[in-house]
Amino acid sequence: MRKIIIEWSYPMDINNIIYDERMSDVGLYYITRNFGGNITNLYIGKTTYNFRSRLEAHMNHWIGDHRGIIQVRLGYIVYPQNITRQYRKELIDSAEKTLIYFMRNNLKRNKQCTKDCYPQYWLDIHNTRYIGNLPPRLYFTHKEWYGW
């Protein structure tokens, strides 16, 4: 199983993060809602193009359906280092699927990869910094994956 470390940014209001210098980067993002002091997990996504285009698409299609403060954390794979662009894209894709699978019962919006997460996507994910409601480590043994 491949190990990765994802470093999550401080949560920022979605209306402000759009103007952040990191919007041209690629990686993972984690959208939450703060309404009346309650934090709700809304969405985990990825981009291999840039954060701005993905977040703007969400703002135009469904973010307005939720009251409260919508916050975004940006996730960067910081380990392994010195990898090819193609391998980084593959890890981002696998990380999104694994995160969604683990968080499937807590997400309000995205539902892909919630019934199955195939072995080729399995990762041992270590979440660091501003992880919000994400577990510090996401990992299942083969026994847990297969229900033995």
Side-chain angles (χ1 to χ4, degrees):
M1 183 171 305
R2 298 172 293 171
K3 174 186 174 182
I4 67 168
I5 298 173
I6 302 173
E7 187 174 282
W8 294 95
S9 71
Y10 188 80
M12 291 181 66
D13 184 290
I14 195 164
N15 295 308
N16 296 331
I17 202 167
I18 290 297
Y19 303 105
D20 192 278
E21 62 188 22
R22 297 170 292 179
M23 287 297 96
S24 60
D25 293 346
V26 299
L28 300 146
Y29 55 94
Y30 169 37
I31 302 175
T32 57
R33 173 183 76 150
N34 184 337
F35 185 69
N38 295 316
I39 306 296
T40 305
N41 301 312
L42 296 179
Y43 195 94
I44 292 173
K46 62 149 183 185
T47 180
T48 54
Y49 181 65
N50 69 52
F51 286 119
R52 178 174 285 111
S53 63
R54 292 298 298 136
L55 294 175
E56 285 178 341
H58 294 312
M59 290 174 72
N60 291 332
H61 291 98
W62 63 265
I63 293 287
D65 296 345
H66 297 277
R67 297 187 322 175
I69 300 168
I70 306 299
Q71 296 182 311
V72 179
R73 290 170 174 83
L74 305 178
Y76 294 95
I77 296 174
V78 296
Y79 177 86
Q81 297 178 343
N82 303 319
I83 58 177
T84 66
R85 185 175 183 191
Q86 181 59 37
Y87 189 56
R88 180 168 306 285
K89 284 182 177 184
E90 290 173 20
L91 287 178
I92 289 169
D93 185 56
S94 293
E96 180 201 33
K97 287 175 172 55
T98 303
L99 286 163
I100 292 170
Y101 183 79
F102 274 94
M103 298 294 290
R104 67 191 178 277
N105 295 327
N106 298 306
L107 296 172
K108 297 292 182 199
R109 296 300 299 194
N110 50 348
K111 301 297 179 188
Q112 78 166 45
C113 207
T114 57
K115 294 182 181 154
D116 295 311
C117 193
Y118 301 106
Q120 69 264 31
Y121 301 124
W122 297 354
L123 295 172
D124 179 5
I125 298 177
H126 297 252
N127 293 303
T128 64
R129 298 204 53 203
Y130 301 98
I131 64 174
N133 293 328
L134 296 172
R137 185 176 184 201
L138 297 173
Y139 169 79
F140 275 147
T141 65
H142 279 77
K143 182 179 179 180
E144 292 168 315
W145 276 106
Y146 290 113
W148 298 337

